[in-house]
Amino acid sequence: MYTLKVQTETSKKEIHFSCEYNLSQLLIDNDTFVDRACGGKGTCGKCAVRFLSPAPKATPADKKYFSAEELQHGWRLSCRTVISSDAEIIIPNKESHYTVEYGFAHNNEIFFNDKSLASGYGIAIDLGTTTIVVYLVSLSDGNLIGVTSSANPQKQYGDNVITRCEYIHSHENGLKELKTAALNKINELISELTDKHNILRNSILRCVLSGNTIMQHIIAGIDPYSISTAPYTPVFTDQKRVKAS
């Protein structure tokens, strides 16, 4: 049995594994967020981690994104890294910029057209195919209060968006099942943040959710099957504003 020690800006944890494992997948499988926008193809450069223990041999993708000095200091793309022994890594904090409805943000300072929002909190949700990430933000100053993440429970219905579309198409209550699975997890993550930071849920005044087109359709309760077959047409492409209820 091997141990991966993981440090983030706010926490430390240990992950135990028993066989050779892709590093980013190991993190995701153990509810640890790593930005993998390209789906693990090594083309976005966003899943960078730094090894505190001796780093595995650099891959061509690592050499594309990191300087020789950075490689020497243990920087690697987690999606291109395979580990099969004890290791220790740091997942760096990513600088974040938030867009807020009725206002705008720049360098984490938010300016409001609607002044009534400036005393509460906002939630930003990244609904990914693999991972759900929830951010809690102070609307008074734009500061990030906390962040938490979890594997997307929709994976039990299919590993990718196409298999999930097929599940919805072939099961009478498929769309409701997938939507409910994601919503329940989102509410659980919001509760985790509000409980941890002693914030009342009714002080959350705005929420913004982003995701790929199929994820957006599912969470809106709209059948995404038309996107998965030619001519691959979404039901909607505009921004939707809905009540939290």
Side-chain angles (χ1 to χ4, degrees):
M1 184 67 70
Y2 307 115
T3 299
L4 173 66
K5 296 181 179 180
V6 183
Q7 293 186 33
T8 68
E9 185 182 30
T10 58
S11 66
K12 293 182 179 181
K13 69 185 299 184
E14 291 187 357
I15 296 173
H16 302 286
F17 62 105
S18 58
C19 60
E20 186 175 85
Y21 224 118
N22 175 274
L23 177 55
S24 69
Q25 194 60 53
L26 178 61
L27 293 169
I28 289 169
D29 287 347
N30 287 272
D31 295 335
T32 302
F33 174 67
V34 59
D35 194 345
R36 202 168 65 165
C38 66
K41 298 177 182 178
T43 57
C44 72
K46 294 184 177 181
C47 66
V49 300
R50 184 165 73 85
F51 277 82
L52 299 179
S53 58
K57 184 178 178 180
T59 67
D62 292 324
K63 294 175 182 178
K64 176 181 177 182
Y65 284 99
F66 303 116
S67 67
E69 183 179 1
E70 288 171 330
L71 292 172
Q72 185 178 0
H73 283 86
W75 287 97
R76 298 290 186 270
L77 295 180
S78 63
C79 74
R80 299 287 88 192
T81 300
V82 175
I83 59 174
S84 56
S85 61
D86 293 343
E88 185 173 1
I89 63 169
I90 291 178
I91 301 177
N93 181 47
K94 296 291 192 299
E95 184 178 15
S96 300
H97 298 275
Y98 303 95
T99 300
V100 182
E101 194 174 357
Y102 302 116
F104 63 95
H106 176 68
N107 292 333
N108 279 8
E109 186 176 0
I110 301 181
F111 303 87
F112 292 99
N113 298 324
D114 183 348
K115 299 300 183 183
S116 68
L117 299 179
S119 60
Y121 297 90
I123 288 287
I125 301 164
D126 181 357
L127 178 59
T129 307
T130 304
T131 308
I132 300 174
V133 189
V134 176
Y135 302 84
L136 175 65
V137 182
S138 168
L139 296 183
S140 63
D141 54 19
N143 285 331
L144 178 64
I145 305 299
V147 58
T148 188
S149 64
S150 173
N152 189 335
Q154 292 176 341
K155 66 181 181 181
Q156 63 184 304
Y157 304 101
D159 286 339
N160 57 65
V161 291
I162 301 303
T163 54
R164 292 177 199 177
C165 285
E166 291 171 350
Y167 183 90
I168 289 170
H169 191 65
S170 59
H171 292 76
E172 181 179 358
N173 294 317
L175 177 58
K176 182 179 180 181
E177 290 178 45
L178 268 78
K179 176 179 178 177
T180 300
L183 281 177
N184 287 345
K185 179 55 68 173
I186 287 169
N187 275 313
E188 179 184 317
L189 294 174
I190 291 173
S191 293
E192 180 183 325
L193 285 172
T194 54
D195 290 347
K196 180 178 180 180
H197 297 283
N198 296 315
I199 291 171
L200 296 175
R201 285 178 72 101
N202 61 11
S203 65
I204 298 172
L205 304 181
R206 285 293 183 273
C207 175
V208 60
L209 182 146
S210 66
N212 66 51
T213 308
I214 289 178
M215 288 291 98
Q216 289 182 11
H217 277 57
I218 292 173
I219 205 68
I222 297 173
D223 191 339
Y225 190 70
S226 62
I227 309 172
S228 66
T229 57
Y232 314 107
T233 306
V235 177
F236 71 93
T237 57
D238 56 322
Q239 182 189 74
K240 286 195 172 293
R241 288 180 57 193
V242 299
K243 292 183 178 180
S245 58

